[in-house]
């Protein structure tokens, strides 16, 4: 499978599925820097975790980690220790990092990089506070960012509440700023990522592959399977964030449809919901057989986003095995 080395900044809160995303991104994309955001765990933890993962991948000399905001724009920080443990990356035993976080703030790094480099894609796999702050700080980045690929939201159900997905729920005001910024959005919501479940059979393959990176992926997945199964009664571990990274590196793995997406800020039951207008898709369920359900006219506002609907999971797994084989 061919990948294009797209220039990206990965804004993340590792997090087990963020770490799996980093494994894919470091191998197949031109990662200009990693920015961190309080989310799954407080900022200090997720920053350390990002550096630890990069050190296993042998990429810590080349890729800087820039700490960003610890707290959302309005709401207090919600973390997810029930899925990721107290450190945000419980499970694998990783050495204390040798590398230090960069002293430049994530928001400054995003602004400076985007103003300097053409066609940068931002992949955001945590709450959107850093990205929203960067847009507020330097609105000219709106016309310079090629697109933002978000793991967050959903075309259908939520996970943190019946209607809201965790990353959007944590900072809906930031998400609203980003979705309404005019930057083209790719939304990798949980309607898509629930199609990406790693099971024990996959972990066995990772262990057979046996590279340092493969063993890290195995330990991450073992922990995450147990946490996801305990918390959500799903089978396997849903590798949400890895899907957003894969969409940029291997676009053929995901089918999507354009739609207008906005974020609910006020609803008592629906705060943090991504409200998706897919009335132009025939049928009730946009995830059902896009081929047989051609597009109709858009009825509401012009689409600001492309929503991921279908994942080629077998293709994803093959791509991931190949990635582990060629990684450190
Ligand atoms: C998202 O929430 C976090 O716990 C994961 O890392 C992922 O980014 C899924 O809702
Ligand atoms: Ca995440």
């Amino acid at each position: 499978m061919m990948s294009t080395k797209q220039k990206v900044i990965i804004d993340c809160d590792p997090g087990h599925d963020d770490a799996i995303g980093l494994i894919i991104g470091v191998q197949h994309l031109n990662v200009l820097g990693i920015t961190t955001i309080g989310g799954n765990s407080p900022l200090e933890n997720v920053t350390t975790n990002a550096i630890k993962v990069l050190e296993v991948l042998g990429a810590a000399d080349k890729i800087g980690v820039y700490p960003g905001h610890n707290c959302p724009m309005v709401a207090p920080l919600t973390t997810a220790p029930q899925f990721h443990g107290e450190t945000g990356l419980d499970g694998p035993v990783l050495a204390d990092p040798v590398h230090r976080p960069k002293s430049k703030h994530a928001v400054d790094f995003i602004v400076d990089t985007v103003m300097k480099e053409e066609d940068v894609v931002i992949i955001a796999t945590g709450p959107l506070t850093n990205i929203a702050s960067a847009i507020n700080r330097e609105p000219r980045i709106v016309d310079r960012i090629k697109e933002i690929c978000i793991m967050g939201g959903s075309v259908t159900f939520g996970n943190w509440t019946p209607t809201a997905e965790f990353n959007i729920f944590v900072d809906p005001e930031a998400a609203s700023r980003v979705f309404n910024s005019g930057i083209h959005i790719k939304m990798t919501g949980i309607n898509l990522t629930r199609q990406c479940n790693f099971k024990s059979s996959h972990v066995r393959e990772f262990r057979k592959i046996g590279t340092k990176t493969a063993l890290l992926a195995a330990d991450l997945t073992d922990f995450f399977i147990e946490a996801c199964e305990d918390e959500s009664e799903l089978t396997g571990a849903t590798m949400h964030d890895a899907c957003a990274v894969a969409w940029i590196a291997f676009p053929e793995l995901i089918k999507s449809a354009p739609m207008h997406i906005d974020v609910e800020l006020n609803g008592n039951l629906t705060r943090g919901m991504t409200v998706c207008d897919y009335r132009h898709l025939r049928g009730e369920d946009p995830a059902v057989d896009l081929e047989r359900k051609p597009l109709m006219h858009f009825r509401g506002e012009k689409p600001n986003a492309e929503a991921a609907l279908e994942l080629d999971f077998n293709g994803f797994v093959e791509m991931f095995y190949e990635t582990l084989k060629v990684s450190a």
Side-chain angles (χ1 to χ4, degrees):
M1 194 178 275
M2 281 293 295
S3 65
T4 40
K5 287 238 172 181
Q6 168 65 52
K7 280 185 273 185
V8 297
I9 295 171
I10 303 182
D11 187 74
C12 58
D13 60 342
H16 297 71
D17 53 331
D18 301 77
I20 298 288
L22 290 178
I23 291 174
I24 299 169
V26 165
Q27 190 60 44
H28 299 291
L29 296 167
N30 178 4
V31 183
L32 303 177
I34 291 174
T35 51
T36 53
I37 176 75
N40 285 326
S41 201
L43 182 69
E44 205 180 322
N45 287 352
V46 300
T47 304
T48 305
N49 295 341
I51 297 174
K52 284 181 173 175
V53 170
L54 285 183
E55 289 187 350
V56 176
L57 303 184
D61 287 337
K62 211 179 74 197
I63 303 172
V65 175
Y66 300 81
H69 288 290
N70 185 39
C71 288
M73 289 179 142
V74 176
L77 177 64
T78 302
T79 57
Q82 59 274 59
F83 287 100
H84 301 278
E86 286 306 322
T87 65
L89 205 63
D90 279 12
V93 181
L94 299 172
D96 284 342
V98 175
H99 295 75
R100 302 274 315 136
K102 298 285 183 189
S103 53
K104 191 174 206 171
H105 193 278
V107 172
D108 295 326
F109 175 77
I110 293 169
V111 168
D112 292 350
T113 306
V114 168
M115 291 309 287
K116 195 172 73 198
E117 300 275 349
E118 302 298 323
D119 286 336
V120 176
V121 169
I122 297 186
I123 301 176
T125 64
L128 290 163
T129 326
N130 288 339
I131 319 287
S133 305
I135 296 167
N136 287 345
R137 168 88 51 86
E138 177 49 274
R140 285 179 299 169
I141 66 172
V142 165
D143 295 325
R144 294 193 50 85
I145 292 174
K146 186 172 168 190
E147 61 186 358
I148 302 183
C149 185
I150 292 169
M151 188 286 126
S154 176
V155 174
T156 52
F157 44 80
N159 61 355
W160 208 254
T161 73
T163 55
E165 178 281 329
F166 178 75
N167 288 337
I168 306 295
F169 175 86
V170 172
D171 196 344
E173 280 73 20
S176 170
R177 181 74 186 95
V178 174
F179 276 90
N180 287 292
S181 65
I183 302 170
H184 185 257
I185 309 283
K186 278 192 156 108
M187 186 181 87
T188 325
I190 52 168
N191 59 290
L192 182 287
T193 62
R194 282 273 173 88
Q195 300 165 40
C196 188
N197 264 345
F198 279 174
K199 311 240 167 65
S200 305
S201 54
H202 299 113
V203 175
R204 283 195 290 277
E205 288 304 314
F206 303 165
R207 295 205 185 279
K208 266 193 230 153
I209 292 169
T211 57
K212 264 198 304 177
T213 307
L215 298 179
L216 170 65
D219 291 345
L220 287 166
T221 308
D222 269 343
F223 180 90
F224 206 35
I225 287 177
E226 215 175 298
C228 289
E229 290 187 349
D230 282 355
E231 278 304 312
S232 48
E233 294 175 29
L234 294 170
T235 311
T238 311
M239 292 301 175
H240 308 277
D241 297 336
C243 296
V245 180
W247 198 2
I248 297 304
F250 301 102
E252 66 278 13
L253 291 176
I254 286 180
K255 278 189 193 162
S256 61
M259 56 185 74
H260 188 271
I261 303 178
D262 209 338
V263 179
E264 175 58 59
L265 298 179
N266 299 310
N268 284 338
L269 300 173
T270 52
R271 182 169 151 82
M273 176 183 183
T274 44
V275 179
C276 300
D277 186 354
Y278 51 83
R279 288 173 289 174
H280 55 287
L281 299 178
R282 287 184 198 280
E284 309 77 50
D285 182 355
V288 172
D289 199 353
L290 286 176
E291 310 294 332
R292 283 191 292 114
K293 298 182 191 299
L295 299 185
M296 301 195 297
H297 298 301
F298 296 115
R299 293 209 193 145
E301 285 185 65
K302 251 180 69 199
N304 58 347
E306 192 69 32
L309 299 176
E310 265 184 49
L311 174 70
D312 169 5
F313 181 59
N314 291 336
F316 180 94
V317 169
E318 277 314 307
M319 173 279 289
F320 195 62
Y321 289 159
E322 291 309 311
T323 303
L324 296 180
K325 286 179 195 161
V326 296
S327 296

